[in-house]
Amino acid sequence: MADKLKEIPGKLLEWWNKFTSRQKTIIIAIVAVVVFTFVIVIYTFTRPQYVRLDTYEDSATAAKIVEILEEAGITHQESADARTVEVLRSQLPQANMAIASEGYVPGSLKYGDVVESGMSTTSADRENQYTVFRQKELENMFAGTMPIKDVKVQLKRQSSSGRLTDMDAEDSAYIQVTVTDEFTTANAAAMAKAAATALGNTTTANITIVDQNLNLLFAGGDEYSSMGIANSMQELQIQAEAMVTNQVKKVLLGTKQFNTAEVSSHLSVDFSDYNRRVVEYYTSDDRETGLPSHEDTLSYESTNETGGIPGTDSNTENLTGYGYLGTGGGSSSQEERSVDYQNNVSETNTITPAGSIDYANSSISVALIKYREYREENVERQGLLEGITWEEFKEAHRDDIKQEVDQDIVQMVAYASGIDVSRVVVVAYESPLFFDKEGFFETVSTTDIVSIVMIILILALLAFVILRSMGLKKKAAVEEEPELSVEDMLQSTPPEPELDNIDVETKSDTRKLVEKFVDENPEAAANLLRNWLNEDWN
């Protein structure tokens, strides 16, 4: 085998030396062209393909977008004026989602971006274009506002015919929103009011809002029944549970220790209305009784002196009391008093509306998932596949592994939800993720395969053309070899030396040469003899 390999360079050199200098030059030029074409094709299909994300009004806005893209790990490049931002074509959806998640709203919509005017544009076309422009205005107004992920608007504009009946007609709007769990009926009412104001409507009677599942969020004109008030007690409980769930999930994912967090809360909501009236009586600190509210006092005095003449002669004064006659005289007094005391009063009237949360009877459950990645090339490099296959390794490590939960995590959930720690349950699992080694057809795209096949076909076609041209040249060289005439054949024979007279007994050298020529070239000798006979005959 080694000897055959050593012979290959010599055979290649021998094959190469068969060509002329002109053929070698042509072959080298063709190979150079093919290689250059191959390099261009590879560069074209493998170089990063950038697409324009947007052109912004100023460099400050572009800088904010660049900061968002860098935090999201998206490859980008900027123009020389620092206003146009480009990203990789494959990362364009991620870039749009990244800037949308940060609440960025694109620049204001320009009238000329939608409406086109020209000689062939009719008034009906302008009306339709203006309707589209108003729809996009409303979409941009709501886009990027939390908790709205996406919004689509359909308008029906009222035509102005000039009649009095059309003067009070208002535009209608159908709004479909993709919302999160934080969206409430109060948000829907606010959207409807904003849309009505933007359209110039006096009421929200012509505004309809539905979510991504076609659930009715707002029916025209019902803002007074839904402004900040849940339509039902069940919705009130759902909103409260969603608020607690989002708060807990936010703090758990903020630790960056877990990939996903599933939270389910059960809040005990009291839907009864309570009215409590408390009346308290008290006195001032320096008094034993309260202040008097009413007081009646009656008092009198009497004096007894030495008695006079019996009868009425000595009774010259109008006595106001009863006197007692005596020999030595005397006096008496009497007092009557009636008082009503009024204590200080404190009255408290407490009204507790329906919907209060009883945190003592509420509970919350949390499931935390942390992914562990297994890549086939890394596992193989670590020597973990010795004696087993990759499929066997995946089967052996497919089960989730329960993790011990730190008490700080449980306490954090309790603080974020307001629920007592004794009614909080947190479980954590480590879940495996397996990534197979990328094969040839996974790393090479369909475009690359097509390019390689085209290059191979081009090389095969060039080789076929070269080999065919070489074969035709050899065949032409063989066909163009001239037929020798009798004179040429005679001239091709060596010259006859000077000979002596022919000896009868022995053959002369000339005879020997003639016989040799006849033996070796019988057809040429026959042609020569035929020519001689023809010449003699003529």
Side-chain angles (χ1 to χ4, degrees), residues 100-131:
S101 63
E102 294 294 331
Y104 172 77
V105 179
S108 58
L109 185 67
K110 298 180 177 59
Y111 184 78
D113 296 338
V114 179
V115 179
E116 298 179 358
S117 299
M119 296 294 295
S120 60
T121 305
T122 64
S123 58
D125 294 335
R126 292 191 182 92
E127 286 294 323
N128 293 333
Q129 292 177 4
Y130 183 70
T131 301

Side-chain angles (χ1 to χ4, degrees), residues 352-483:
T352 303
S356 61
I357 300 175
D358 184 7
Y359 288 98
N361 294 321
S362 301
S363 61
I364 188 169
S365 301
V366 180
L368 303 174
I369 303 295
K370 183 177 182 180
Y371 295 121
R372 181 176 180 84
E373 297 181 356
Y374 292 98
R375 299 185 179 273
E376 185 177 359
E377 55 271 17
N378 295 337
V379 174
E380 186 177 1
R381 185 170 55 252
Q382 295 171 4
L384 301 178
L385 295 182
E386 295 181 358
I388 60 174
T389 62
W390 171 241
E391 296 298 328
E392 293 174 346
F393 179 85
K394 290 195 295 184
E395 189 65 28
H397 296 80
R398 190 175 299 277
D399 297 335
D400 295 341
I401 302 175
K402 189 174 183 179
Q403 304 293 311
E404 184 178 355
V405 180
D406 193 345
Q407 188 62 28
D408 292 340
I409 299 295
V410 180
Q411 195 69 43
M412 184 170 58
V413 173
Y415 286 157
S417 62
I419 300 174
D420 188 77
V421 68
S422 61
R423 303 184 66 84
V424 175
V425 177
V426 181
V427 294
Y429 288 90
E430 183 183 74
S431 182
L433 287 179
F434 300 99
F435 297 92
D436 297 338
K437 185 188 300 183
E438 295 182 351
F440 174 76
F441 292 101
E442 295 176 354
T443 56
V444 179
S445 63
T446 305
T447 305
D448 298 334
I449 295 176
V450 173
S451 303
I452 294 173
V453 171
M454 291 180 62
I455 292 172
I456 293 175
L457 292 176
I458 293 172
L459 293 175
L461 181 61
L462 291 174
F464 174 76
V465 172
I466 294 172
L467 295 176
R468 183 173 178 81
S469 63
M470 292 172 55
L472 292 174
K473 288 182 179 180
K474 290 182 178 180
K475 184 176 181 181
V478 173
E479 291 178 353
E480 290 177 358
E481 184 176 353
E483 183 180 356

Side-chain angles (χ1 to χ4, degrees), residues 43-54 66 69-70 73-79 84-93 95:
Y43 175 75
T44 302
F45 287 100
T46 57
R47 71 189 181 105
Q49 298 290 329
Y50 286 90
V51 294
R52 186 177 70 89
L53 181 62
D54 203 350
V66 169
L69 296 177
E70 289 179 349
I74 296 174
T75 305
H76 58 87
Q77 64 181 15
E78 296 77 39
S79 61
T84 301
V85 180
E86 297 180 346
V87 298
L88 287 177
R89 183 183 299 275
S90 60
Q91 295 182 336
L92 181 60

Side-chain angles (χ1 to χ4, degrees), residues 152-379:
K152 297 295 182 183
V153 178
Q154 292 291 331
L155 290 182
K156 181 180 179 182
R157 299 179 57 244
Q158 297 296 330
S159 59
S160 178
S161 60
R163 295 191 296 266
L164 294 177
T165 55
D166 294 338
M167 296 299 293
D168 296 332
E170 295 183 344
D171 297 341
S172 301
Y174 171 81
I175 304 175
Q176 184 175 6
V177 290
T178 302
V179 298
T180 63
D181 295 337
E182 299 177 357
F183 193 88
T184 63
T185 53
N187 298 131
M191 282 187 62
K193 192 66 177 178
T197 303
L199 294 175
N201 295 353
T202 56
T203 66
T204 60
N206 296 333
I207 308 297
T208 302
I209 302 176
V210 299
D211 65 2
Q212 65 270 26
N213 298 320
L214 294 181
N215 295 320
L216 184 63
L217 301 178
F218 183 88
D222 64 352
E223 69 270 18
Y224 296 106
S225 63
S226 62
M227 184 70 71
I229 303 175
N231 291 333
S232 64
M233 293 302 177
Q234 183 179 5
E235 184 178 352
L236 178 63
Q237 182 175 2
I238 293 174
Q239 293 177 7
E241 291 177 350
M243 179 188 66
V244 173
T245 298
N246 291 330
Q247 289 177 343
V248 173
K249 185 179 294 187
K250 184 184 300 183
V251 297
L252 289 176
L253 296 180
T255 62
K256 300 186 182 302
Q257 300 298 316
F258 307 98
N259 298 103
T260 60
E262 298 297 333
V263 181
S264 177
S265 60
H266 175 72
L267 300 182
S268 178
V269 181
D270 189 358
F271 297 117
S272 302
D273 292 327
Y274 292 97
N275 189 352
R276 183 183 180 186
R277 182 172 179 271
V278 178
V279 179
E280 296 179 350
Y281 298 91
Y282 64 95
T283 59
S284 302
D285 295 337
D286 56 346
R287 294 178 61 89
E288 295 181 357
T289 60
L291 297 175
S293 62
H294 177 266
E295 182 177 359
D296 294 328
T297 303
L298 177 62
S299 62
Y300 63 88
E301 295 181 358
S302 63
T303 303
N304 293 327
E305 297 180 353
T306 303
I309 300 173
T312 60
D313 295 340
S314 58
N315 295 334
T316 59
E317 296 180 0
N318 186 16
L319 298 177
T320 59
Y322 293 95
Y324 297 95
L325 297 177
T327 57
S331 64
S332 65
S333 63
Q334 184 178 353
E335 181 178 359
E336 295 182 2
R337 186 179 183 187
S338 175
V339 180
D340 294 332
Y341 292 99
Q342 178 64 50
N343 294 326
N344 293 335
V345 179
S346 174
E347 182 174 338
T348 304
N349 190 13
T350 303
I351 299 176
T352 303
S356 61
I357 300 175
D358 184 7
Y359 288 98
N361 294 321
S362 301
S363 61
I364 188 169
S365 301
V366 180
L368 303 174
I369 303 295
K370 183 177 182 180
Y371 295 121
R372 181 176 180 84
E373 297 181 356
Y374 292 98
R375 299 185 179 273
E376 185 177 359
E377 55 271 17
N378 295 337
V379 174

